[in-house]
Amino acid sequence: MPTAEAPGQPLSIGEVAERTGLSVHALRFYEREGLLVGPVHRTAGGRRQYTAFNVDWLLICVQLRESGMPLSDLKRFAELVRHGPGNEAERLRLLDAHRQRVDAQIQALEECRSVIAWKVGVYAEHLARGEAGGLWDPTA
């Protein structure tokens, strides 16, 4: 979950990279691709100044991307949020579709883990009895 930090001093791109786990390059990419919902202001010298709001949004983006949300969906979600109230139903549809994909991935991984656990048990049992030789031997 994002941490709701109180608004305060602007953050540099390096500080935001450290807080979000994104690289400086990735942060620039997110900005360039329109994945941010709040503006990133710049100093007179052109340095980016992020807010706590930007960091909170980026932490959500990191979780959505790590869970497999396509960039196109993340862009659409950011666009909807930027447009403000009135499109919550579309935001819900987008997030719910992603949640369903994640649920399916979790189920598939649980099935894989079950097969792996069974196979670990088979090998552990055979090794404990000293009968592991020849298990799945393609030369036999």
Side-chain angles (χ1 to χ4, degrees):
M1 288 286 202
T3 59
E5 293 184 31
Q9 294 294 326
L11 302 167
S12 71
I13 196 168
E15 291 169 321
V16 174
E18 186 177 312
R19 291 179 188 206
T20 62
L22 294 168
S23 68
V24 168
H25 176 75
L27 288 168
R28 289 181 184 129
F29 173 80
Y30 271 49
E31 184 179 352
R32 189 173 55 250
E33 292 297 313
L35 297 171
L36 300 176
V37 295
V40 176
H41 299 287
R42 294 188 183 243
T43 66
R47 294 188 182 269
R48 290 171 174 84
Q49 292 185 309
Y50 292 86
T51 64
F53 178 80
N54 296 133
V55 172
D56 285 346
W57 174 257
L58 286 164
L59 289 171
I60 291 169
C61 290
V62 166
Q63 293 298 302
L64 292 173
R65 288 293 295 143
E66 283 184 3
S67 63
M69 179 178 270
L71 274 176
S72 59
D73 286 356
L74 186 54
K75 281 183 185 182
R76 180 65 182 145
F77 185 52
E79 178 182 308
L80 292 168
V81 172
R82 272 194 306 275
H83 281 108
N87 59 30
E88 292 82 2
E90 188 173 350
R91 294 184 211 180
L92 174 61
R93 281 191 298 275
L94 191 145
L95 290 172
D96 191 49
H98 181 62
R99 183 191 52 78
Q100 289 177 29
R101 286 190 303 270
V102 169
D103 287 345
Q105 290 172 334
I106 290 169
Q107 182 177 350
L109 285 171
E110 287 174 346
E111 291 170 7
C112 292
R113 182 176 57 193
S114 177
V115 169
I116 293 166
W118 167 74
K119 206 59 193 156
V120 165
V122 168
Y123 276 87
E125 183 181 317
H126 280 81
L127 283 169
R129 290 194 317 242
E131 301 173 357
L135 277 175
W136 290 83
D137 182 356
T139 62

